[in-house]
Amino acid sequence: MSRLASGLQRLRRSSSQWEVLWSALASCGLVLFSQLAVAMVPRLVFIAAIVLGRLWRRFIGVAASAPLFVLFNILLLWGVYVFVIRRETSSLLDMLINAECALLLWGFYRILSGDPGIVACDSSYLEEAGCKDFVEAIYSSEKLPMLSRVRQCTWCKANIRGYDHHCPAFGTCIGQKNHRLFMALLTGFVVAESTYTMCSTKYITRCISSGTIRSENPVSLNIVISTTLFSILQVLWQIVFLMWHIYCICFNIKTDEWVISNFPCFGVFVHQLQVVFSLAVSCS
């Protein structure tokens, strides 16, 4: 089994290759169906997509994967560009968007298969700190400086050094060892989706101005429109998310630390939001 498949199994706690395969097929199907739904807004297909997503697991007993959902969205955007939009794009812009998509896939593989900074539970740490369990030693880090800024992820129960947050979209924790890669990926998504939006907008504009919009394949045109709308929505929230993380870097704070210090009772709520977001994206 490849390293990527092993990473997916570890992060999603899958027990067999068949579970990963069926999860991948479910994610791919939901990506295609949701993009078609966006293209047909405000038709009832959009409502059907939401209903199907909520009942997918109940009907066929398979839950989609949030990381695989993101992966298939990257592949879909790249595929639509290559087979539909590319002929209307300059060679320089063509090389740029292809390089951006390739780098996104490479970075996505690295963050899935990499170590966020997991700290193993060593009994010697507990004896030195005089604590009963590892969680107590973490939150009493003044007794043990080597565990400073180590936090336990409430989602995957792993102890992460430099823990910032758990990212459902990437299916992994963001910690000391992968925070730079996370920031690079987030920036890459903003740049790639902005570039795609620019290319697709030019394609739609040329179809309208040249009068060839009626001769275009309606399915291809609808997919271009849907992926453009999807990319715009993605860029809007990703820019806000990126600005927040830049702010945290400038002031040397972590998302988890900021939430706990400013909103002690809000930590549980944030965790619940992460759960809801992951369920919504994975449609489980």
Side-chain angles (χ1 to χ4, degrees):
M1 183 185 301
S2 66
R3 189 181 178 188
L4 176 57
S6 300
L8 286 172
Q9 283 186 329
R10 172 173 57 82
L11 294 171
R12 298 185 61 250
R13 299 184 295 274
S14 300
S15 58
S16 68
Q17 297 183 18
W18 286 108
E19 290 182 12
V20 175
L21 176 61
W22 284 114
S23 181
L25 293 175
S27 301
C28 183
L30 287 173
V31 166
L32 295 175
F33 196 82
S34 61
Q35 292 290 352
L36 179 62
V38 174
M40 301 185 72
V41 170
R43 302 183 183 184
L44 294 179
V45 178
F46 187 70
I47 299 177
I50 298 175
V51 173
L52 177 63
R54 291 181 176 275
L55 300 180
W56 189 286
R57 184 172 186 177
R58 184 177 301 177
F59 283 153
I60 64 175
V62 176
S65 164
L68 287 174
F69 189 89
V70 174
L71 173 62
F72 284 121
N73 267 306
I74 298 173
L75 295 176
L76 178 64
L77 291 180
W78 199 359
V80 172
Y81 169 77
V82 170
F83 293 106
V84 181
I85 304 175
R86 188 176 190 178
R87 61 179 182 269
E88 303 290 343
T89 308
S90 64
S91 57
L92 180 61
L93 198 56
D94 177 59
M95 290 189 294
L96 179 63
I97 194 170
N98 280 298
E100 289 170 353
C101 291
L103 288 174
L104 278 182
L105 292 177
W106 178 79
F108 193 71
Y109 165 78
R110 288 295 304 273
I111 202 168
L112 273 176
S113 57
D115 175 20
I118 297 176
V119 177
C121 180
D122 193 336
S123 58
S124 61
Y125 291 164
L126 305 182
E127 294 177 359
E128 184 177 346
C131 299
K132 297 179 181 179
D133 54 39
F134 201 66
V135 176
E136 183 183 349
I138 289 175
Y139 287 97
S140 303
S141 56
E142 65 275 1
K143 300 179 182 180
L144 202 59
M146 69 180 64
L147 295 181
S148 178
R149 302 200 97 170
V150 175
R151 291 291 181 269
Q152 185 178 63
C153 175
T154 56
W155 176 264
C156 58
K157 305 302 179 184
N159 303 307
I160 310 296
R161 186 179 301 280
Y163 177 75
D164 187 86
H165 69 285
H166 182 91
C167 181
F170 294 151
T172 186
C173 296
I174 305 303
Q176 179 175 302
K177 291 186 177 181
N178 64 355
H179 191 266
R180 291 182 181 179
L181 179 58
F182 169 77
M183 292 297 295
L185 266 178
L186 186 56
T187 305
F189 271 104
V190 172
V191 173
E193 287 166 344
S194 299
T195 307
Y196 178 86
T197 300
M198 181 176 61
C199 294
S200 59
T201 302
K202 286 184 177 180
Y203 169 80
I204 297 171
T205 303
R206 288 182 183 179
C207 287
I208 295 175
S209 61
S210 62
T212 59
I213 190 169
R214 293 185 177 180
S215 61
E216 290 290 329
N217 188 327
V219 176
S220 299
L221 187 60
N222 282 340
I223 291 295
V224 171
I225 294 173
S226 71
T227 50
T228 302
L229 293 175
F230 177 81
S231 297
I232 292 173
L233 294 175
Q234 287 286 95
V235 168
L236 289 177
W237 77 263
Q238 286 171 354
I239 287 177
V240 176
F241 199 51
L242 179 61
M243 292 175 62
W244 160 252
H245 281 284
I246 292 175
Y247 166 83
C248 289
I249 292 173
C250 291
F251 290 92
N252 191 27
I253 59 176
K254 304 294 184 182
T255 301
D256 183 69
E257 294 173 350
W258 184 86
V259 170
I260 292 176
S261 61
N262 291 276
F263 304 97
C265 299
F266 194 61
V268 177
F269 177 67
V270 170
H271 173 60
Q272 294 299 325
L273 283 181
Q274 289 179 340
V275 174
V276 171
F277 173 78
S278 181
L279 292 176
V281 174
S282 63
C283 299
S284 58

